[in-house]
Amino acid sequence: AQSVAQPEDQVNVAEGNPLTVKCTYSVSGNPYLFWYVQYPNRGLQFLLKYITGDNLVKGSYGFEAEFNKSQTSFHLKKPSALVSDSALYFCAVRDITGFQKLVFGTGTRLLVSP
Amino acid sequence: DTAVSQTPKYLVTQMGNDKSIKCEQNLGHDTMYWYKQDSKKFLKIMFSYNNKELIINETVPNRFSPKSPDKAHLNLHINSLELGDSAVYFCASQDRGSNEQYFGPGTRLTVT
């Protein structure tokens, strides 16, 4: 079965510093990978996706993610963190056995301090 | 305009009651979903409908019954509510040609 793992429950970073939120995947076949962000008391918002093509994917709010097939990773990155980036981040993979079903990781809370 | 809307936003009820949560999307998408997010923020799919037809039914108790009167609406009815049903329920929609899902704001259900 398709799955993703987010090894960190929380990531702390100072404003202005680069940030990385980690995600590794386990899939059969080619992976369809996604990052979503959830702000407090809000629904999830799509950030970016990798389907095929360039390994570096650019998304919303200055975020990007790097697909690494050899390491089966899809880490989310941003060169300079903002306090407003503080939120819960979910990595997800599309399940090939389900009709467009997304399988989410357990989420990583990002805290950006001023 | 809100793309995916849910009502109510908050729902507090007692054990044994029956309640419904409504979801509407104005994006013209074919596929709609219900997800449950538990207290640890773990997000899991419950149901999916494509053009009013049930296509995904994860291991969810029979007390949960989705209904899709048309492809813009997917409602969730819950019978005989239990304490463990307390969670945030999210509706989402997706266009068939896209891989992006659009989520509603969530309904926080508290069963006392």
Side-chain angles (χ1 to χ4, degrees), chain B:
Chain B
D1 287 339
T2 303
V4 182
S5 60
Q6 295 179 228
T7 54
K9 189 167 184 176
Y10 300 97
L11 185 53
V12 181
T13 188
Q14 291 183 328
M15 284 176 56
N17 285 349
D18 303 338
K19 290 293 179 185
S20 292
I21 306 172
K22 296 185 176 181
C23 177
E24 177 181 3
Q25 55 97 0
N26 62 6
L27 299 167
H29 290 168
D30 297 320
T31 308
M32 295 183 73
Y33 305 83
W34 276 110
Y35 289 88
K36 179 180 180 180
Q37 186 174 45
D38 63 23
S39 59
K40 295 184 179 180
K41 304 298 184 183
F42 186 64
L43 196 66
K44 188 172 180 184
I45 191 168
M46 301 173 68
F47 300 103
S48 176
Y49 270 73
N50 181 257
N51 279 323
K52 303 193 296 177
E53 181 182 345
L54 180 66
I55 54 173
I56 296 174
N57 184 347
E58 295 293 295
T59 312
V60 178
N62 291 338
R63 299 181 294 103
F64 290 79
S65 54
K67 285 187 171 55
S68 182
D70 54 63
K71 77 171 193 177
H73 296 84
L74 180 61
N75 304 322
L76 183 65
H77 189 75
I78 316 170
N79 289 328
S80 304
L81 278 155
E82 300 177 357
L83 292 177
D85 298 332
S86 296
V88 181
Y89 292 84
F90 287 101
C91 177
S93 74
Q94 179 176 339
D95 183 58
R96 194 181 182 110
S98 166
N99 290 287
E100 302 164 26
Q101 293 189 12
Y102 292 79
F103 283 77
T107 296
R108 182 175 296 276
L109 172 65
T110 303
V111 182
T112 62

Side-chain angles (χ1 to χ4, degrees), chain A residues 51-78:
Chain A
I51 305 299
T52 186
D54 289 341
N55 289 341
L56 186 63
V57 179
K58 293 191 182 298
S60 306
Y61 311 122
F63 283 92
E64 57 190 27
E66 186 170 11
F67 173 69
N68 188 317
K69 189 172 183 178
S70 62
Q71 297 184 2
T72 61
S73 67
F74 188 56
H75 299 334
L76 181 70
K77 299 181 180 184
K78 187 173 182 180

